[in-house]
Amino acid sequence: MAEESETRWRRRYTELLQELRIAQTGVQILFAFLLALPFSSAFGETNAFQRTLYIISFLATAAAAVATIAPVAFHRALFRQGRDPELARFTHWMTTTGLLLMVLAVVVAVLLVTDFVLELPIALALTGLTLLWLLLLWVLVPFGRSRAGSDSDTTG
């Protein structure tokens, strides 16, 4: 019984690592864009509101990067100590935290770019649509499916 539980925790942790690989790529791409942005010539044309948006998005992306990389440090500390359940739980929380921070970072980055290019009312509308899209695909659909359960999944 203990071996079955250990195998299940290892499988869950492996699945979380696969998810993290995808999330980390998105975080890294946005972070690279935001790191380069202040060094572009057009950045000097931004107003105070846009620079505030930039800082919020930049810091949220940095925090998301830290959260999605934190499981590596945690794994190093707990490596081969037989603490797979603790490792899987920590990785789950850091992945969730990183995704929530990415929602903030992406929405604010969209507002920054659209406000720079378009009028504020249009920028706000497009940003609102982006937020709805993110909430739909990252929160409502996944958690809705989670609560509904899956009749086809009997492997547990």
Side-chain angles (χ1 to χ4, degrees), residues 34-92:
L34 291 169
L35 281 171
L37 192 60
F39 301 102
S40 71
S41 60
F43 193 77
E45 298 172 27
T46 58
N47 59 38
F49 174 67
Q50 293 163 343
R51 286 190 297 278
T52 300
L53 292 175
Y54 169 78
I55 291 298
I56 292 168
S57 186
F58 180 74
L59 293 176
T61 306
V66 170
T68 59
I69 295 169
V72 174
F74 203 78
H75 180 263
R76 286 290 93 207
L78 299 182
F79 184 61
R80 293 191 177 169
Q81 292 184 13
R83 295 165 67 179
D84 290 336
E86 185 179 355
L87 187 57
R89 281 190 295 273
F90 178 80
T91 301
H92 164 74

Side-chain angles (χ1 to χ4, degrees), residues 11-144:
R11 187 183 78 229
R12 287 180 181 173
Y13 182 65
T14 300
E15 290 170 357
L16 278 166
L17 290 179
Q18 293 301 327
E19 293 171 15
L20 272 175
R21 285 185 181 105
I22 293 167
Q24 285 174 337
T25 301
V27 170
Q28 291 168 348
I29 290 169
L30 181 57
F31 199 46
F33 164 75
L34 291 169
L35 281 171
L37 192 60
F39 301 102
S40 71
S41 60
F43 193 77
E45 298 172 27
T46 58
N47 59 38
F49 174 67
Q50 293 163 343
R51 286 190 297 278
T52 300
L53 292 175
Y54 169 78
I55 291 298
I56 292 168
S57 186
F58 180 74
L59 293 176
T61 306
V66 170
T68 59
I69 295 169
V72 174
F74 203 78
H75 180 263
R76 286 290 93 207
L78 299 182
F79 184 61
R80 293 191 177 169
Q81 292 184 13
R83 295 165 67 179
D84 290 336
E86 185 179 355
L87 187 57
R89 281 190 295 273
F90 178 80
T91 301
H92 164 74
W93 284 110
M94 288 299 97
T95 303
T96 302
T97 299
L99 288 173
L100 290 173
L101 288 164
M102 277 304 290
V103 168
L104 175 63
V106 167
V107 168
V108 175
V110 166
L111 181 55
L112 168 63
V113 172
T114 55
D115 183 55
F116 186 79
V117 176
L118 305 167
E119 297 297 319
L120 183 59
I122 297 169
L124 290 171
L126 292 173
T127 301
L129 288 173
T130 302
L131 176 59
L132 289 174
W133 186 242
L134 278 165
L135 291 176
L136 177 69
L137 294 180
W138 287 12
V139 179
L140 297 175
V141 170
F143 288 102

